[in-house]
Amino acid sequence: MNVLRKILLPFVPFYYLVTWLRNKLYDIGVKKSTVYDFPVLVVGNLSVGGTGKSPMVEYLITLLRDKITLATLSRGYKRETKGFLLVRPDAKVRQVGDEPLQFKKKFSDVIVAVDADRRNGIATLRSLTPQPEVIILDDAYQHRKVKAGFYILLTPYYDLYCDDIVLPTGNLREPRRGAERADIIVVTKCPSQLSIEERKKIEYKLAVKPNQDLFFTTINYGDNIMNVSEARSVSSLKNIHFTLVTGIANPTPLVEYYTALGLKFDHINFSDHHNFTDTELIKLSALEFIVTTEKDYVRLSSSISEKKLWYQPIEIKFIENSDFFDVKILEFMNSII
């Protein structure tokens, strides 16, 4: 915890009270939420920073895209535009945000949109032809103006929400009891070998309710690094010294993964969703070989030579019970459609 956050500790009760009161007004119906008669799923978290929302959204897209007409809706964090926009594969990051553009480039058949006003975004999506039958809301757990039919709450193994406090000293966007709104809680970024005993301890710490299901996932790194036209094995990186460039909330797992493989690299780290300046892009373009994350690749690929720039694909892997997770999602979807 940095010094500034410690100094701001007296403001924590005020932030707690404001966010608790806001939630309470929605819970008792004083503030109104819009309810939908078609499947709306939320993927979100209680904390700021990276909890693995994008890989979870991509997992859901892969699960559902062949079954129904699917759309995703994000706010388009750090975009320079306003209002509702449909994301095209040739869009610029500054227009739609990095993660929505990543979704569209990877899943061109899925409707991807951005709108900070989720109610307006949902209404606009439903006016399209073909009309999306299911909408996935990315990072909308605190967007109480919308009452989704299903909530997936993510919390990283190394930073469980039960061990944290609200902003500005902690990282929680709202009090921990907000987790009670979740239908499913997923502990992300776990060690691949997580014992049953430790899982039970985490379940107890999180105070999972009888009506909630708990899952554990780990990060699965692809065997190949990719660019727009090629793939090469990660093991081939042992023959070169490269630069790892990251602009994500927590690059530590990727750094540790490459270190464990015995790879030799320099690491240049930027803040999450970093907007690269012209000066930074010129310096990066001068490097011989760059490996980055998929999200960063979306932001860098238009400025750095394809031959120099590669990205490391990742996906989530359930430690167990992935079939049960899929069943819960499909049961919800089929109960409304």
Side-chain angles (χ1 to χ4, degrees):
M1 185 184 300
N2 62 38
V3 175
L4 178 59
R5 287 201 168 200
K6 291 180 179 179
I7 293 172
L8 294 174
L9 183 60
F11 294 94
V12 166
F14 176 75
Y15 185 93
Y16 182 102
L17 179 61
V18 169
T19 52
W20 175 87
L21 180 60
R22 175 180 179 271
N23 279 330
K24 192 66 176 178
L25 292 176
Y26 276 108
D27 292 340
I28 64 177
V30 174
K31 295 177 75 71
K32 301 298 182 183
S33 302
T34 301
V35 181
Y36 299 93
D37 59 358
F38 58 91
V40 177
L41 297 88
V42 164
V43 176
N45 49 26
L46 294 186
S47 61
V48 297
T51 57
K53 292 186 297 295
S54 294
M56 176 57 73
V57 170
E58 292 185 356
Y59 182 94
L60 293 170
I61 291 173
T62 302
L63 175 66
L64 300 175
R65 62 191 290 213
D66 294 332
K67 299 175 176 61
I68 41 81
T69 303
L70 179 65
T72 71
L73 179 63
S74 310
R75 62 172 168 161
Y77 183 62
K78 283 194 173 182
R79 66 185 174 119
E80 298 174 2
T81 55
K82 302 292 183 183
F84 179 90
L85 283 177
L86 284 175
V87 180
R88 296 168 50 90
D90 59 352
K92 303 298 184 184
V93 170
R94 67 176 182 273
Q95 297 172 318
V96 297
D98 50 15
E99 289 163 345
L101 185 55
Q102 176 182 321
F103 298 154
K104 188 62 180 180
K105 284 180 176 291
K106 185 176 289 189
F107 305 103
S108 60
D109 57 325
V110 171
I111 302 167
V112 179
V114 293
D115 196 336
D117 182 341
R118 304 308 202 281
R119 286 193 295 196
N120 180 72
I122 291 171
T124 307
L125 282 170
R126 290 286 284 182
S127 70
L128 300 177
T129 303
Q131 184 184 70
E133 300 166 271
V134 176
I135 297 177
I136 300 172
L137 301 184
D138 176 28
D139 196 14
Y141 199 82
Q142 285 74 37
H143 202 90
R144 299 296 304 271
K145 291 181 179 180
V146 167
K147 183 172 176 55
F150 203 89
Y151 288 87
I152 301 173
L153 177 65
L154 310 182
T155 185
Y157 169 82
Y158 57 82
D159 190 20
L160 299 172
Y161 60 75
C162 58
D163 296 329
D164 206 348
I165 61 174
V166 297
L167 295 163
T169 299
N171 286 319
L172 297 187
R173 298 170 171 176
E174 61 174 299
R176 286 172 282 189
R177 65 181 303 171
E180 295 175 4
R181 300 197 303 276
D183 296 283
I184 282 176
I185 299 172
V186 182
V187 181
T188 61
K189 306 182 181 181
C190 298
S192 57
Q193 303 298 323
L194 188 65
S195 68
I196 295 176
E197 291 75 14
E198 187 168 4
R199 282 180 252 163
K200 288 181 178 178
K201 289 179 181 178
I202 292 173
E203 182 174 9
Y204 177 78
K205 287 182 65 177
L206 294 176
V208 177
K209 304 299 181 184
N211 63 313
Q212 297 176 318
D213 293 293
L214 178 65
F215 296 87
F216 297 86
T217 65
T218 187
I219 297 173
N220 187 35
Y221 294 102
D223 293 332
N224 296 320
I225 56 172
M226 314 283 292
N227 64 22
V228 71
S229 60
E230 295 183 72
R232 62 182 290 172
S233 67
V234 173
S235 61
S236 70
L237 295 176
K238 292 183 178 180
N239 302 320
I240 62 174
H241 190 104
F242 64 94
T243 303
L244 176 65
V245 176
T246 57
I248 57 178
N250 181 25
T252 301
L254 179 56
V255 172
E256 291 178 345
Y257 174 69
Y258 279 172
T259 301
L261 291 176
L263 305 183
K264 305 299 181 184
F265 59 95
D266 299 315
H267 180 205
I268 302 176
N269 187 35
F270 297 92
S271 61
D272 196 17
H273 300 280
H274 178 73
N275 288 324
F276 294 95
T277 66
D278 291 340
T279 301
E280 289 167 344
L281 290 171
I282 290 171
K283 290 181 178 179
L284 292 176
S285 296
L287 297 172
E288 291 293 326
F289 197 101
I290 299 171
V291 180
T292 190
T293 69
E294 192 166 3
K295 183 170 70 172
D296 294 313
Y297 185 86
V298 169
R299 286 182 279 134
L300 291 169
S301 59
S302 62
S303 303
I304 297 178
S305 167
E306 173 189 329
K307 295 180 179 180
K308 292 185 175 184
L309 186 65
W310 302 76
Y311 69 86
Q312 173 66 64
I314 67 168
E315 61 182 7
I316 60 170
K317 180 180 179 181
F318 285 83
I319 292 178
E320 64 175 20
N321 294 334
S322 63
D323 290 344
F324 183 54
F325 179 91
D326 296 353
V327 166
K328 298 293 290 186
I329 301 301
L330 295 174
E331 281 181 349
F332 161 68
M333 184 182 73
N334 294 329
S335 70
I336 300 180
I337 292 179

